[in-house]
Every structure is written in C-alpha cells, then in structure tokens.
Amino acid sequence: MIFPSMTTLIFGAAIVAAMAVVDWYVWRMTPVRRYPLAPEGTRFAEDDEATAFRKVA
C-alpha cells in the first residue's frame, strides 16, 4: 500500500480548513427570514397576469 506523504496530508488539511472558513462566512452572510415558509414575493402576488387570466376564464 502507498500512503500519502506528510506534505500531501498538510496540503489537504489546509484546503479543508479554507473551505470550512468560506462555508462559515457564506452561511453567516445569508439573510435569515423570520418565517421561511410564509408566501411572499412576486410568485404569490394576487395581481399576477396568470391569476387574472384564471379569474376571467
């Protein structure tokens, strides 16, 4: 069996640590909604063209 060298292990650990820091930063910067399942935005708008068409049809 071939085992990785110490340099390869340190390099891999550094990459994993850097990715963990980036992941932590991105999740910290993401805005948190108070009610994540509450309908909001243009997708649920009452005056949407498709909704108006369905009311007429």
Side-chain angles (χ1 to χ4, degrees), residues 1-15:
M1 246 189 219
I2 300 174
F3 293 103
S5 67
M6 201 62 169
T7 306
T8 305
L9 292 174
I10 292 172
F11 187 65
I15 291 174

Side-chain angles (χ1 to χ4, degrees), residues 24-38 40:
W24 170 81
Y25 180 76
V26 168
W27 278 103
R28 191 176 65 95
M29 297 306 292
T30 305
V32 178
R33 292 172 48 184
R34 277 195 165 156
Y35 306 103
L37 298 177
E40 63 181 38

